[in-house]
């Protein structure tokens, strides 16, 4: 997820605003320290313009 976000030139702050997540929670997700719901996965995937499945496979 981090690679995709950075590849699109999005900072954590910008991305958090886009998908309505807090920055500490995004940090935890990107570091693998948080579990996410399917709804959150869908919001993240939509924000990155990828299929949710693409995030799971990585």
């Amino acid at each position: 997820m981090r690679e995709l976000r950075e590849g699109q030139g999005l900072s954590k702050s910008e991305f958090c605003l886009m998908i309505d997540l807090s920055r500490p929670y995004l940090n935890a997700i990107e570091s693998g320290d948080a579990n996410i719901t399917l709804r959150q996965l869908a919001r993240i995937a939509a924000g990155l313009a990828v299929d949710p499945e693409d995030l799971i496979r990585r």
Side-chain angles (χ1 to χ4, degrees):
M1 184 175 104
R2 180 180 297 148
E3 291 171 7
L4 290 170
R5 177 183 55 75
E6 290 175 345
Q8 293 181 20
L10 294 168
S11 70
K12 284 183 183 179
S13 296
E14 291 171 321
F15 191 57
C16 287
L17 289 173
M18 283 176 55
I19 63 171
D20 193 31
L21 284 180
S22 71
R23 187 176 167 134
Y25 190 56
L26 180 64
N27 286 337
I29 293 169
E30 287 189 346
S31 67
D33 294 330
N35 294 316
I36 64 172
T37 66
L38 292 175
R39 181 173 286 159
Q40 291 165 330
L41 177 66
R43 283 190 355 222
I44 291 167
L48 294 170
V50 298
D51 190 81
E53 197 173 295
D54 294 335
L55 295 174
I56 295 170
R57 286 187 189 163
R58 290 179 178 253

